[in-house]
Amino acid sequence: MEAYLDNSATTRCTQRVRDAVVQVMMEDYGNPSSKHMKGVEAERYLKDARETVARTLKVNEKEIYFTSGATESNNWALIGAARANRRAGMHLITTAVEHPAVLMPMQYLEEQGFRVTYLPVDSKGHISLQDLEQALCEDTILVSMMYVNNEVGTVEPIEEAARIVKKYNPDILFHTDAVQAYGKMRIYPKRAGIDMLSVSAHKIHGPKGIGFLYVNEKVKIHPLILGGGQQKGMRSGTDNVPGAAGLAQAAREAYERLEESREHLLDLKKRMTDGLEQMDSVAVLSEKGDSSAPHIVSASFPGVRSEVLLHALEDRGIYVSAGSACSSNKKLPVSAVLKELHLSPELLDSTLRFSFSRYTTAEEIDYCLQALRELLPVLRRYARH
Ligand code: PLP
């Protein structure tokens, strides 16, 4: 048996996503910039994809830009908006637990002379709204806060945070990295005061190498990628039409039965946490219930190094991740995010993330729990010698 419990790292494409991608690659393969029929046909796919994604967020299709994924979306949102608004101020705010795709552009902006405040989090990964309020100043031009933390599944208070920011100064831009939230919850940027929002398709059963950035039409932003002027000159490069078709299909499927999938994910999460809590010396780090992300369970197994446990599970066909699997830095021994939660070194060293998709089954969870029950006593005994 196999149990793929690493869906926050990436997901398998659905059959209909595959069909949509193949149709465009093999039949409707024109370049949307071409003036002939094949180009017009390809342009129609892009328009459909833009409309589909826009509908899931209740925004205007003109506000959706396709990118190579959330890393590019985050880089563009932060660097592009900081450059375009630098005359209004040089201060940016983010959280200490962002994905490197936010933290690294922030670091780059610091090197360019911007000042960045990194909001700390509590032991569950929540930022404090008071801290945010105190960090805002006359010089602030942008706040970037992730919707759902990719390592522990904490949902940040995005709507409240955006409200505070906009009340302080409506011109301050609010960006959210919604990679782990999109397709798992309903997000309405206009209502929530979100000006920019980043998404990657491969986290919702779409293809890799495609994502989008929602940019409210009022936002002043410079392009990062210059060239042939595609996407209104804001993101040059031949449009990834197969990717966009796949992303649109994945978004349609994710939002078609969102509530049903969410219930299923919450059941899986409960099954997993209940099982873990019945074991000796296991600490579940993720919050329970439906105020947290339904698809992520992070847990520590003191006495066993996470890497050892990860590979022992892998030997049984169970795939999970240790630390941040979305970061390619395989040598990074402990997760910077988990460090921010002030875990003891022992817990830090022994944390695994189990992440589910709507296709994950209760049997896969039970198979994983049974493997843990068998492996933990053996590995702990071995670790002591
Ligand atoms: N942001 C978050 C929260 C993520 O989990 C990931 C995952 O990889 C990314 C950004 C980067 O996405 P991508 O690698 O698809 O660009």
Side-chain angles (χ1 to χ4, degrees), residues 8 69-71 74 99 101 146 148 150 177 179-180 200 202-203 326:
S8 283
T71 298
N74 287 344
H99 189 274
M146 72 198 322
V148 168
N150 50 301
D177 173 345
V179 168
Q180 300 291 346
S200 256
H202 70 102
K203 310 285 187 182
C326 326

Side-chain angles (χ1 to χ4, degrees), residues 283-309:
V284 176
L285 306 179
S286 304
E287 284 184 309
K288 290 181 230 166
D290 62 1
S291 61
S292 68
H295 61 301
I296 298 176
V297 173
S298 173
S300 295
F301 303 87
V304 191
R305 284 193 40 240
S306 48
E307 221 177 298
V308 172
L309 187 51

Side-chain angles (χ1 to χ4, degrees), residues 136-156:
L136 289 164
C137 66
E138 255 185 33
D139 210 28
T140 310
I141 52 168
L142 172 77
V143 176
S144 178
M145 190 178 288
M146 72 198 322
Y147 217 116
V148 168
N149 184 272
N150 50 301
E151 294 199 35
V152 281
T154 309
V155 182
E156 297 298 349

Side-chain angles (χ1 to χ4, degrees), residues 180-210:
Q180 300 291 346
Y182 185 77
K184 309 287 189 314
M185 48 181 71
R186 299 207 181 266
I187 307 170
Y188 301 122
K190 302 261 185 208
R191 199 184 301 163
I194 298 166
D195 300 302
M196 294 184 284
L197 178 142
S198 305
V199 168
S200 256
H202 70 102
K203 310 285 187 182
I204 58 158
H205 306 283
K208 291 169 184 61
I210 182 87

